[in-house]
């Protein structure tokens, strides 16, 4: 059965964005595999900060690799201060400085 409802969208750098997840490693790979095994619709997109900043209402939940975007349905992720720990946060620790 194919899930056509809201899903999880992982926004990653271009080399990591193969639709089958083969370009992923570490934590993003675990997210992709874990959500897919749980029956969620998981989509990989090449990270595009301009598109993310302009993102309007969306039924999907978005996770952005090394992102700095704020949106009600988005979390940013990256390696935490001590490897192998990762964070999921909104807004991101890597937000641009004012």
């Amino acid at each position: 059965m194919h899930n056509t409802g809201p899903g999880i969208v992982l926004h990653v750098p271009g080399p990591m964005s193969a639709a089958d997840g083969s370009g992923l490693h570490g934590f993003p790979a675990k997210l992709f595999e874990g959500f897919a095994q749980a029956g969620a619709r998981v989509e990989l997109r090449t990270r595009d900060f301009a598109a993310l900043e302009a993102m309007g209402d969306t039924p999907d939940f978005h996770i952005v690799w090394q992102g700095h975007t704020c949106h009600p349905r988005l979390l940013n992720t990256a390696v935490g201060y001590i490897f192998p720990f990762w964070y999921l946060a909104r807004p991101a620790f890597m937000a641009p400085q004012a």
Side-chain angles (χ1 to χ4, degrees), residues 51-72:
L52 287 164
E53 291 294 331
M55 184 170 55
D57 191 26
T58 173
D60 296 323
F61 190 81
H62 300 261
I63 299 174
V64 183
W65 170 278
Q66 295 181 340
H68 51 77
T69 305
C70 277
H71 187 279

Side-chain angles (χ1 to χ4, degrees), residues 66-98:
Q66 295 181 340
H68 51 77
T69 305
C70 277
H71 187 279
R73 299 184 62 80
L74 182 148
L75 290 174
N76 299 283
T77 188
V79 174
Y81 292 109
I82 301 172
F83 186 81
F85 297 100
W86 290 70
Y87 69 84
L88 289 165
R90 193 196 122 224
F93 291 96
M94 299 180 71
Q97 299 300 312

